[in-house]
Amino acid sequence: MAARSVRKKPARKKPARKKPARKKPARKKPARKKPAGGKSARKKSAHADADDQARKQRDISVSEFFAKNRHLLGFDNPSKALLTTVKEGVDNSLDACEEAGILPDIRVEIEQQDESRFRVAIQDNGPGIVRAQVPRIFGRLLYGSKFHRLRQSRGQQGIGISAAGMYGLLTTGRPVKITTRTGRGREAHHFQLIIDTQKNEPRVSVDRVVKWPVQHGTRVEIELEGNYRGGQHSVDSYLRQISLANPHARIVYQPPSAPPEKGNGKARPPEEIEFPRVAKQLPPLTAEIKPHPYGVELGVLMQMFRDTKARNLRTCLQGDFARVSARIAEEICKTAEVPSSRRPRDVRRGEAERVHKAIQKTKIMSPPSDCIAPIGEDLILRALKAEVEADFYASVTRRPAVYRGNPFLVEAGLAYGGNLGLEQPITLFRYANRVPLQYQQSACAVTKAVIGTDWRSYQLQQPRGALPVGPALVMVHIASVWVPFTSESKEAIAHYPEIVKEIRLALQECGRRVATHIRKGKREADEAKKRAYIEKYIPQVAVGLEHILGLNERQRDKVVKNLTNVLEKSRKL
Amino acid sequence: MAARSVRKKPARKKPARKKPARKKPARKKPARKKPAGGKSARKKSAHADADDQARKQRDISVSEFFAKNRHLLGFDNPSKALLTTVKEGVDNSLDACEEAGILPDIRVEIEQQDESRFRVAIQDNGPGIVRAQVPRIFGRLLYGSKFHRLRQSRGQQGIGISAAGMYGLLTTGRPVKITTRTGRGREAHHFQLIIDTQKNEPRVSVDRVVKWPVQHGTRVEIELEGNYRGGQHSVDSYLRQISLANPHARIVYQPPSAPPEKGNGKARPPEEIEFPRVAKQLPPLTAEIKPHPYGVELGVLMQMFRDTKARNLRTCLQGDFARVSARIAEEICKTAEVPSSRRPRDVRRGEAERVHKAIQKTKIMSPPSDCIAPIGEDLILRALKAEVEADFYASVTRRPAVYRGNPFLVEAGLAYGGNLGLEQPITLFRYANRVPLQYQQSACAVTKAVIGTDWRSYQLQQPRGALPVGPALVMVHIASVWVPFTSESKEAIAHYPEIVKEIRLALQECGRRVATHIRKGKREADEAKKRAYIEKYIPQVAVGLEHILGLNERQRDKVVKNLTNVLEKSRKL
């Protein structure tokens, strides 16, 4: 058949063009020695039978995977890469400081080295990193302390900062530089390392003790291909937003100077920008929680039975889950008809299925909510006031709720009027665990909830299916032990109905308050207008009366005075 | 300060509520022995200093990562999970058959076991899998043969089928079952295995030789929590679409019966659905290509110099890249001022930078395009005709183009009229490397290109910023050695301008053809109307003439005949 010969042609041509292809047949020889069953031996040209295919199977290291799919991590293009690098560094610094109970003091420096190359440095006053951990934290993807726990933190995956270092390495070939010190009595260490993407392992080139004036803290430097630009997705805007949601942090930012022109020497760097500390207290330290039994799936339950350290089923249920008391554990076992004294690893499949079903039938309290640290209504107000000059501010912190077994909490803040833009859609700031989300606004549950709220009943204009229009800034914060992001780059929150509902309730509360303010403003404006109108005509009325009743000047002035008094009084009522 | 005591309170309360927390202080003791520098020793309650934080650092296995983030792989909800499982199985079967030069014969079975549990089986006549590879292919994420090469295939990542098995395990606790045989003279093997998510390693529970009537092929069975439903995102719709883009494959599908009602025994399964083979030839076997030098980044180039087997810079450039001849390699070295005889691993940083810059300055041919296998205009037409009854069909296969150094090719097909819906938006089928994309239509470059085409100039209605409206089905296929998906679940294609442009050009070509057809149809309809009108009045004219000119009956009939003749003639012109 003609088509079959067409298929083979390109395969034959290839060796001529690509020399290395010639070497391959040598590797395929062993396959020919084996008695390849049946017809497949006959027509083996470029086709690969089971043996050929087996020989090509290989492990893919997670670094190779993300290096090739770097857009999944937020390194799609140079300007986003620069922002993502700053973001991962600052997130880590804030997490480390807070966990150690230190008020964060963070310095971000960006230096432009040539047209498309930047050096980013992030330095904090955190607890520092012990020497042995440095290489893996910065030179290995999927390594960290935050993945295996249910606790509110900015980082979740153990990918961020090492991915930034990897992107830097891929685009500039330069290592990540880390300086860290864990306390006054200890030595400061300086590292330079790269990630070996084929093995997902760090390769350290420099590891030495250095003098560092900092008492405790960490400094990370990454060189990368980037693009520095302004606007909504800029580093400046990100730092402003993160300072808004982290009023307990002080951030100093050194923006890049324009690249030095030839023969002109070095350009003077622009001035530092300081985002001051608005609040002197750290957010409450959140608790780590156990999974709630309602959220657990059968296969996961079976795995927990296999891996638990508990001696029997009752203590396993009680110890490895949130909200399971001894009484409830017994109740579950009874409903499932499995003895509560059974060793967990001896629980058979059928029994595990019965336990799984019994859990759904048993009434168990909602997960504890002190694992969530809201920003708080006060601090949101203070942060909003520091951010924009408006006429009116409102903030709401909702009570914790639960989605898929995970506790979460929604807060909203609203600033209205003042020097905010009039005829534009409102500005929307989205946050998850105090981290601003800057991309994929339209894909986010927050945007969905804002659009789904009827702002017209709160005195704002709103085109159908769009953000409301008016002089307002809205911020929404979602805090959770596990924020369901739509991608690894953590840019948008998935549309869980429970989450969308909570956001809407918070927005409605803000909406009601701003509506009262706007109505009051309108009423006052109306009255002022009326008053001005009447005031203007009082003298005319007096002159009219003067003519009609033949009043003298004194009488006329008295009439003016009386009328003005009446007006004042009625206004005061 | 009040705020500080607030922060500590929850930490103190916790141990009372969660007993296991009491055990932890024991693990923290070693930290107290060390002389913790300065004040940090004083106020250590629940806060974690560098030592505490170090102790919590752990590896995260890639399976744990994706188990927790399973929505990234297309397992967001039960109905999508069922579809994704079928899809990953069928994709693998098609890839394996084609690579072995076998016309695919695939059987998909879905059996509903209870309300929310399904057993999915996919069986193919592929080359089979050699015994030693089975555990890792099905029980390990990021393992496969397709990631480390630039070649067109459905699979890219080495995640899909093991992720489906992992989802099955998590939701039902059941192992994946695999039966495979590599040829007539060989034994068939049956495996049952699960993935150990903590280690990302397979755990085999059954591994035995079985009798299997199949000569060569593989059968995979996965039990999972799922939801079977119809509509655009259904398994049925997916299989119809994949058959459309793979006319060389025969697919037999056994849909699930309704779950048996109690006391009613087993329900009779519904009848099998067959998607027959439309074409008897396999798509051309595509070549594997080397990366094109224009696409390589500095860090990657440096890594290639480190890892290459080539003896000197010239042979490295020539052998490890596409389209680099000895002459071009010499030219690059000369521009970079690096001797072409330099051993690649001795190339220093500065030299590598110069080579990188020299590459951009050197004129190098576009990547070869025979690494792309289009479906072809003929087969698209035949597939469309098999799929829908329409009045008009068109198909276009564009010439290969390049984005970011990767060759790609766009094809489009269009069916118009017939029994296609009139007043609805057109139906859009999107494909990447012959795999239908069923989710995230609005996020996809294909949708963007369809909306961006001016369909009104092709006689179709089109609301602003939306899909055109009319009785049409449009299919678009993108084939590439590396399809840039927006997520691991491979649901939408990223908006590369080169790709959007090529799609638009293909659509415009189809549009022009359908416009000719629609205009011709309109013209013919107009003429038929006119003719009917004239025909109706010819006898009246004859009667009129009869009266006016006093014609006899024969003369009148002749007039009628003549007039009719004139009408016929003018229509034929």
Side-chain angles (χ1 to χ4, degrees), chain B residues 435-470:
Chain B
V435 178
L437 312 179
Q438 295 188 281
Y439 285 90
Q440 295 197 30
Q441 177 165 302
S442 62
C444 188
V446 171
T447 313
K448 192 184 174 188
V450 172
I451 290 174
T453 302
D454 180 12
W455 292 94
R456 271 172 288 198
S457 58
Y458 306 128
Q459 311 286 321
L460 280 165
Q461 296 170 46
Q462 186 179 20
R464 185 188 293 267
L467 289 178
V469 170

Coordinates of all heavy atoms in Angstrom, one line a residue, chain B residues 435-470:
Chain B
V435 N -4.9 13.8 20.5 CA -5.6 13.6 21.7 C -6.7 14.7 21.9 O -6.3 15.9 21.8 CB -4.7 13.6 23.0 CG1 -5.5 13.4 24.2 CG2 -3.7 12.5 22.8
P436 N -8.0 14.4 22.0 CA -8.9 15.4 22.2 C -8.8 16.1 23.6 O -8.4 15.5 24.6 CB -10.3 14.7 22.2 CG -10.0 13.2 22.4 CD -8.6 13.0 22.0
L437 N -9.0 17.4 23.6 CA -8.9 18.2 24.8 C -10.3 18.6 25.2 O -11.1 19.2 24.4 CB -8.1 19.5 24.6 CG -6.8 19.3 23.9 CD1 -6.1 20.7 23.7 CD2 -5.9 18.4 24.7
Q438 N -10.8 18.2 26.3 CA -12.2 18.3 26.7 C -12.5 19.4 27.7 O -13.6 19.8 27.9 CB -12.8 17.0 27.1 CG -12.7 16.0 26.0 CD -13.4 14.7 26.3 OE1 -12.9 13.9 27.0 NE2 -14.7 14.6 25.9
Y439 N -11.5 19.8 28.5 CA -11.7 20.8 29.5 C -11.0 22.1 29.2 O -10.2 22.2 28.3 CB -11.3 20.3 30.8 CG -12.2 19.2 31.4 CD1 -12.0 17.9 31.2 CD2 -13.2 19.6 32.3 CE1 -12.8 16.9 31.7 CE2 -14.1 18.6 32.8 CZ -13.8 17.3 32.5 OH -14.7 16.3 33.1
Q440 N -11.4 23.1 29.9 CA -10.8 24.4 29.8 C -10.8 25.0 28.4 O -9.8 25.6 28.0 CB -9.3 24.3 30.3 CG -9.2 24.0 31.8 CD -7.9 24.3 32.4 OE1 -7.2 25.2 31.9 NE2 -7.5 23.6 33.4
Q441 N -11.9 24.9 27.7 CA -12.0 25.4 26.3 C -11.6 26.9 26.3 O -10.9 27.3 25.4 CB -13.4 25.1 25.8 CG -13.5 25.7 24.4 CD -14.8 25.1 23.7 OE1 -14.9 23.9 23.5 NE2 -15.7 26.0 23.3
S442 N -12.1 27.6 27.3 CA -12.0 29.1 27.2 C -10.5 29.5 27.4 O -10.1 30.6 27.1 CB -12.9 29.8 28.2 OG -12.6 29.4 29.5
A443 N -9.7 28.6 28.1 CA -8.3 29.0 28.4 C -7.4 28.6 27.2 O -6.2 28.9 27.3 CB -7.9 28.3 29.6
C444 N -7.9 28.0 26.2 CA -7.1 27.4 25.1 C -6.8 28.3 24.0 O -7.6 29.1 23.5 CB -7.7 26.1 24.7 SG -6.7 25.1 23.6
A445 N -5.5 28.2 23.4 CA -5.1 29.0 22.3 C -6.0 28.7 21.1 O -6.3 29.6 20.3 CB -3.7 28.7 21.9
V446 N -6.6 27.5 21.0 CA -7.5 27.2 19.8 C -8.7 28.0 19.9 O -9.1 28.7 18.9 CB -7.8 25.7 19.9 CG1 -8.9 25.4 18.8 CG2 -6.6 24.8 19.6
T447 N -9.3 28.1 21.1 CA -10.5 28.9 21.2 C -10.2 30.4 20.9 O -11.0 31.0 20.2 CB -11.1 28.8 22.7 OG1 -11.1 27.4 23.0 CG2 -12.5 29.3 22.8
K448 N -9.1 30.8 21.4 CA -8.7 32.2 21.1 C -8.7 32.5 19.6 O -9.1 33.5 19.1 CB -7.4 32.5 21.8 CG -7.0 34.0 21.8 CD -5.7 34.2 22.4 CE -5.3 35.7 22.2 NZ -3.9 36.0 22.6
A449 N -8.0 31.5 18.9 CA -7.9 31.7 17.5 C -9.2 31.6 16.8 O -9.5 32.4 15.8 CB -7.0 30.7 16.9
V450 N -10.1 30.8 17.2 CA -11.5 30.7 16.5 C -12.2 31.9 16.8 O -12.8 32.5 15.8 CB -12.3 29.5 17.1 CG1 -13.7 29.5 16.6 CG2 -11.6 28.1 16.7
I451 N -12.2 32.5 18.0 CA -12.9 33.7 18.3 C -12.3 34.9 17.5 O -13.0 35.8 17.1 CB -12.9 33.9 19.8 CG1 -13.8 32.9 20.5 CG2 -13.4 35.4 20.2 CD1 -13.8 33.0 22.0
G452 N -11.0 34.8 17.4 CA -10.3 35.9 16.7 C -10.4 35.9 15.2 O -9.9 36.9 14.6
T453 N -11.0 34.9 14.6 CA -11.2 34.9 13.2 C -12.6 35.6 12.9 O -13.5 35.4 13.6 CB -11.3 33.4 12.7 OG1 -10.1 32.8 13.1 CG2 -11.4 33.3 11.2
D454 N -12.6 36.3 11.8 CA -13.8 37.1 11.4 C -14.7 36.2 10.6 O -14.6 36.1 9.4 CB -13.4 38.3 10.6 CG -14.7 39.1 10.3 OD1 -15.8 38.8 10.8 OD2 -14.6 40.0 9.5
W455 N -15.6 35.4 11.2 CA -16.4 34.5 10.5 C -17.5 35.1 9.7 O -18.1 34.5 8.9 CB -17.0 33.5 11.5 CG -15.9 32.6 12.1 CD1 -15.3 32.8 13.3 CD2 -15.4 31.4 11.6 NE1 -14.3 31.8 13.5 CE2 -14.4 30.9 12.4 CE3 -15.7 30.7 10.4 CZ2 -13.7 29.8 12.2 CZ3 -14.9 29.5 10.1 CH2 -14.0 29.1 11.0
R456 N -17.8 36.4 10.0 CA -18.9 37.0 9.3 C -18.5 37.2 7.8 O -19.4 37.1 6.9 CB -19.3 38.4 9.9 CG -20.3 38.2 11.0 CD -20.6 39.5 11.7 NE -19.4 39.7 12.6 CZ -19.4 40.5 13.7 NH1 -20.5 41.2 13.9 NH2 -18.4 40.7 14.4
S457 N -17.2 37.3 7.6 CA -16.8 37.4 6.2 C -16.9 36.1 5.5 O -16.7 36.0 4.3 CB -15.4 38.1 6.0 OG -14.5 37.3 6.7
Y458 N -17.1 35.0 6.3 CA -17.3 33.7 5.7 C -18.8 33.3 5.8 O -19.0 32.1 5.9 CB -16.4 32.7 6.3 CG -14.9 33.1 6.3 CD1 -14.1 33.1 7.4 CD2 -14.3 33.5 5.1 CE1 -12.8 33.5 7.4 CE2 -13.0 34.0 5.0 CZ -12.3 34.0 6.2 OH -11.0 34.4 6.2
Q459 N -19.7 34.2 5.8 CA -21.1 33.9 5.8 C -21.7 33.2 7.0 O -22.7 32.6 7.0 CB -21.4 33.0 4.5 CG -20.8 33.5 3.2 CD -21.6 34.7 2.7 OE1 -22.8 34.8 2.8 NE2 -20.9 35.7 2.1
L460 N -20.9 33.3 8.1 CA -21.5 32.8 9.4 C -21.7 34.0 10.3 O -21.1 35.0 10.3 CB -20.5 31.8 10.0 CG -20.4 30.4 9.5 CD1 -19.2 29.7 9.9 CD2 -21.6 29.6 9.9
Q461 N -22.8 33.8 11.2 CA -23.0 34.8 12.2 C -21.9 34.7 13.3 O -21.4 33.6 13.6 CB -24.3 34.6 12.8 CG -25.5 34.8 11.9 CD -26.8 34.4 12.6 OE1 -27.0 34.7 13.7 NE2 -27.6 33.6 11.9
Q462 N -21.6 35.8 13.9 CA -20.6 35.7 15.0 C -20.8 36.9 16.0 O -20.6 38.1 15.7 CB -19.2 35.7 14.5 CG -18.2 35.5 15.7 CD -16.7 35.5 15.2 OE1 -16.4 36.0 14.1 NE2 -15.9 35.0 16.0
P463 N -21.3 36.6 17.2 CA -21.4 37.7 18.2 C -20.0 38.1 18.6 O -19.1 37.4 18.5 CB -22.1 37.0 19.4 CG -22.6 35.6 18.9 CD -21.8 35.3 17.7
R464 N -19.9 39.4 19.0 CA -18.6 40.0 19.3 C -17.9 39.2 20.4 O -18.5 38.8 21.5 CB -18.8 41.4 19.8 CG -17.6 42.2 20.1 CD -17.9 43.5 20.7 NE -18.6 44.3 19.8 CZ -18.0 45.2 19.0 NH1 -16.7 45.4 19.0 NH2 -18.7 46.0 18.2
G465 N -16.7 38.8 20.2 CA -15.9 38.1 21.2 C -16.4 36.7 21.6 O -16.2 36.2 22.7
A466 N -17.1 36.1 20.6 CA -17.6 34.7 21.0 C -17.4 33.8 19.8 O -17.0 34.2 18.7 CB -19.1 34.8 21.3
L467 N -17.7 32.5 20.0 CA -17.7 31.5 18.9 C -18.7 31.9 17.9 O -19.8 32.4 18.2 CB -18.0 30.1 19.4 CG -16.9 29.5 20.3 CD1 -17.4 28.1 20.8 CD2 -15.6 29.4 19.6
P468 N -18.5 31.6 16.6 CA -19.5 31.8 15.5 C -20.7 31.0 15.8 O -20.6 29.9 16.4 CB -18.8 31.5 14.2 CG -17.7 30.6 14.6 CD -17.2 31.0 16.0
V469 N -21.8 31.4 15.2 CA -23.1 30.7 15.4 C -23.5 30.1 14.0 O -23.4 30.8 13.0 CB -24.2 31.6 15.9 CG1 -25.6 31.0 15.8 CG2 -23.8 32.1 17.3
G470 N -23.9 28.8 14.0 CA -24.4 28.2 12.7 C -24.2 26.7 12.7 O -23.7 26.2 13.7

